Amino acid sequence: MANDYPYVAAEYISEDFQPNQIKIEKRNIKKTENKHYCDEFEFYLILSGNATVDINNSFFTVEKGALIQFMPFHIHRFILKSDQDLEVFHIKLSLGLLINTSTNKNLYLRSIKKLNTSLPLVKLDDRMFDKVRFFCNTTLEEYQISTEDKGTLNLSLISFLSYAYDKGLKFNRQSPKNMFWSCLQYIQFHHQEPLTIDDVSQKLGLPAIEIKQLIKKGTGCTFSQFLNQVRIRNATALLQFNDLSINQIGRICGYKNDAYFYKQFKVVRNVTPKHYQDNLKNKQFQVSNDSWMLIIYLFENFNQEITIKDVKEKFSMSQSKINSLIKSKTGMNFKEFINSLRIQIGQNLINNFNYPISTAAIKVGFNDINTYHRNYEKYRNTIIK
């Protein structure tokens, strides 16, 4: 895109992520970036340092504990002075992975609108920051140890990042925007409709000619090109699911004519929707909402005196179903999973934060140091096997 429009204000990037695929890295940012936006979603967890982030020409200060969720319409960059640097976890993923539970039109539209209508930046409290940092560290370590498929781990990480972000929104509600931001956001959230530039003009109270100029200057695209980009991006995400036909996907994303949808998809992706979907066979999502709901709940409450009976009452499930759902995603039953989670987090506190074992044991939810040692031996023997 940037090669086609050398005068654009931002670079357009697409890595065409596959189902269940993410990219995670820990890195230092030492200088101001170029503006860019992409098909994928990005999470940034700020580990240390401070800087300014430019999002759609609005500027915000970020520091340790900030969690940023960049969506495809967020044209962004980090701005650093000569004496500044940031240490961050950077996670990139497909739109399909983020909305993996949305396999019908109503759920899809609800998910798109829920993604964010406010500032995509929250400040985590210390407790949640430590949990998110640990989860990111664990995922990165797993990638360094083995190159085998990490679909389950990836989905679990993104689910927990989304949970932490949503929880942070409750305490960080703010929505500063400019007209450029409003234009891009409105197109993103209303691309399913028969949208015209006059519709956007009327909704935002801005002359159509100014909307054309804002979009062209900021993205290098005309209004129709940018709208098509948004629609095809979302159609690509939905092609990763088994439960929707290609024609349904076209209509969900705003195309009233099947032939036109096929044509525009091929223009952007260089293949037909059918060819793209065929290449994803055996890679589509097989998701259980209940499984991830349970796992996220345990991540949030692992350090409490929690039993399977407590979970049974909270979710109105039988104990056998709870064990079955957790085992389907982790290979462990309830007790094994929560104790392994406690051990992993406890070892992180001991090794990286110099906690005494007795303190770490209580911190992660064990009654005493002896219980910690017993479960540590079980966990270690399981890993060795």
Side-chain angles (χ1 to χ4, degrees):
M1 184 69 70
N3 292 332
D4 295 334
Y5 298 93
Y7 50 87
V8 297
E11 296 178 0
Y12 173 74
I13 304 169
S14 177
E15 296 188 21
D16 198 21
F17 277 53
Q18 299 298 303
N20 290 342
Q21 181 185 2
I22 71 167
K23 179 180 179 181
I24 179 170
E25 59 181 340
K26 182 187 286 187
R27 63 188 180 94
N28 287 95
I29 303 174
K30 296 182 178 295
K31 62 180 182 179
T32 297
E33 301 175 318
N34 293 327
K35 290 184 179 182
H36 63 280
Y37 71 114
C38 56
D39 272 344
E40 284 69 42
F41 273 67
E42 299 176 272
F43 280 102
Y44 278 88
L45 177 67
I46 309 301
L47 301 172
S48 65
N50 60 85
T52 299
V53 60
D54 172 5
I55 308 173
N56 294 341
N57 298 331
S58 291
F59 301 89
F60 312 94
T61 299
V62 293
E63 58 185 3
K64 178 182 175 180
L67 179 63
I68 310 171
Q69 178 183 281
F70 286 129
M71 292 190 288
F73 69 90
H74 290 141
I75 297 176
H76 59 275
R77 61 174 173 160
F78 288 103
I79 302 172
L80 288 82
K81 298 177 181 177
S82 59
D83 61 342
Q84 289 181 313
D85 67 89
L86 285 178
E87 184 182 26
V88 304
F89 267 117
H90 181 200
I91 303 100
K92 295 186 74 172
L93 59 141
S94 73
L95 173 61
L97 186 56
L98 195 65
I99 59 170
N100 63 76
T101 59
S102 304
T103 52
N104 67 50
K105 181 174 181 179
N106 290 333
L107 283 174
Y108 168 75
L109 298 179
R110 198 179 309 146
S111 294
I112 287 294
K113 290 185 166 95
K114 180 187 174 186
L115 287 177
N116 190 11
T117 56
S118 62
L119 184 65
L121 166 66
V122 299
K123 182 70 165 64
L124 304 180
D125 61 35
D126 291 342
R127 184 178 67 88
M128 184 58 74
F129 172 71
D130 286 341
K131 288 185 178 183
V132 173
R133 178 174 56 180
F134 167 78
F135 208 155
C136 289
N137 268 319
T138 300
T139 303
L140 186 60
E141 288 171 3
E142 289 298 314
Y143 270 95
Q144 293 168 343
I145 292 170
S146 169
T147 59
E148 66 182 14
D149 178 65
K150 299 290 192 304
T152 300
L153 178 63
N154 294 344
L155 190 53
S156 184
L157 172 64
I158 300 308
S159 296
F160 193 65
L161 284 170
S162 298
Y163 168 79
Y165 175 79
D166 287 344
K167 189 169 183 178
L169 278 180
K170 295 178 182 178
F171 306 102
N172 294 270
R173 283 282 180 195
Q174 50 181 324
S175 185
K177 296 184 180 71
N178 53 48
M179 292 309 298
F180 177 55
W181 186 320
S182 296
C183 285
L184 301 188
Q185 180 170 288
Y186 189 82
I187 293 169
Q188 171 68 39
F189 291 163
H190 295 270
H191 70 271
Q192 308 91 353
E193 303 168 10
L195 200 62
T196 69
I197 197 165
D198 290 332
D199 295 328
V200 181
S201 172
Q202 183 176 0
K203 180 65 178 180
L204 300 182
L206 195 68
I209 187 64
E210 290 190 34
I211 292 174
K212 289 180 182 179
Q213 292 170 348
L214 284 172
I215 293 174
K216 187 68 174 181
K217 182 179 179 181
T219 70
C221 299
T222 65
F223 172 84
S224 60
Q225 287 171 334
F226 185 75
L227 175 60
N228 194 56
Q229 190 182 94
V230 171
R231 285 173 169 168
I232 296 302
R233 173 194 303 138
N234 285 276
T236 301
L238 291 182
L239 283 168
Q240 297 174 9
F241 300 95
N242 289 319
D243 296 347
L244 296 170
S245 71
I246 292 175
N247 291 345
Q248 280 179 307
I249 290 169
R251 284 172 170 74
I252 288 173
C253 293
Y255 294 100
K256 303 306 179 186
N257 181 286
D258 295 340
Y260 186 68
F261 169 51
Y262 272 68
K263 177 182 177 181
Q264 293 303 316
F265 191 95
K266 191 168 184 179
V267 167
V268 175
R269 295 296 181 189
N270 296 316
V271 295
T272 65
K274 180 67 166 62
H275 187 269
Y276 183 89
Q277 192 174 60
D278 286 345
N279 285 337
L280 295 177
K281 293 299 183 184
N282 301 318
K283 297 180 182 178
Q284 277 92 350
F285 293 109
Q286 302 295 330
V287 175
S288 165
N289 290 343
D290 290 340
S291 298
W292 298 119
M293 179 175 62
L294 287 171
I295 289 171
I296 290 172
Y297 179 76
L298 294 181
F299 266 107
E300 172 63 8
N301 296 279
F302 70 89
N303 57 344
Q304 307 298 317
E305 293 185 9
I306 185 172
T307 68
I308 194 169
K309 289 183 178 179
D310 297 326
V311 180
K312 173 185 174 182
E313 292 177 3
K314 179 172 180 60
F315 293 103
S316 300
M317 294 181 186
S318 67
Q319 293 186 24
S320 61
K321 183 175 182 181
I322 292 169
N323 279 320
S324 176
L325 287 170
I326 294 175
K327 193 163 189 174
S328 71
K329 297 303 178 188
T330 69
M332 295 177 275
N333 62 30
F334 170 86
K335 187 175 181 179
E336 292 168 340
F337 176 70
I338 197 167
N339 283 337
S340 69
L341 184 60
R342 287 168 171 167
I343 290 296
Q344 291 177 68
I345 294 175
Q347 288 302 113
N348 184 54
L349 295 176
I350 294 165
N351 296 334
N352 297 323
F353 299 95
N354 299 317
Y355 274 61
I357 297 177
S358 57
T359 303
I362 301 300
K363 188 86 172 172
V364 298
F366 289 115
N367 291 328
D368 52 55
I369 191 172
N370 292 328
T371 308
Y372 184 93
H373 281 307
R374 282 200 308 273
N375 281 281
Y376 175 77
E377 289 302 317
K378 290 179 183 178
Y379 175 74
R380 190 180 68 166
N381 291 337
T382 300
I383 296 299
I384 292 174
K385 289 178 184 179

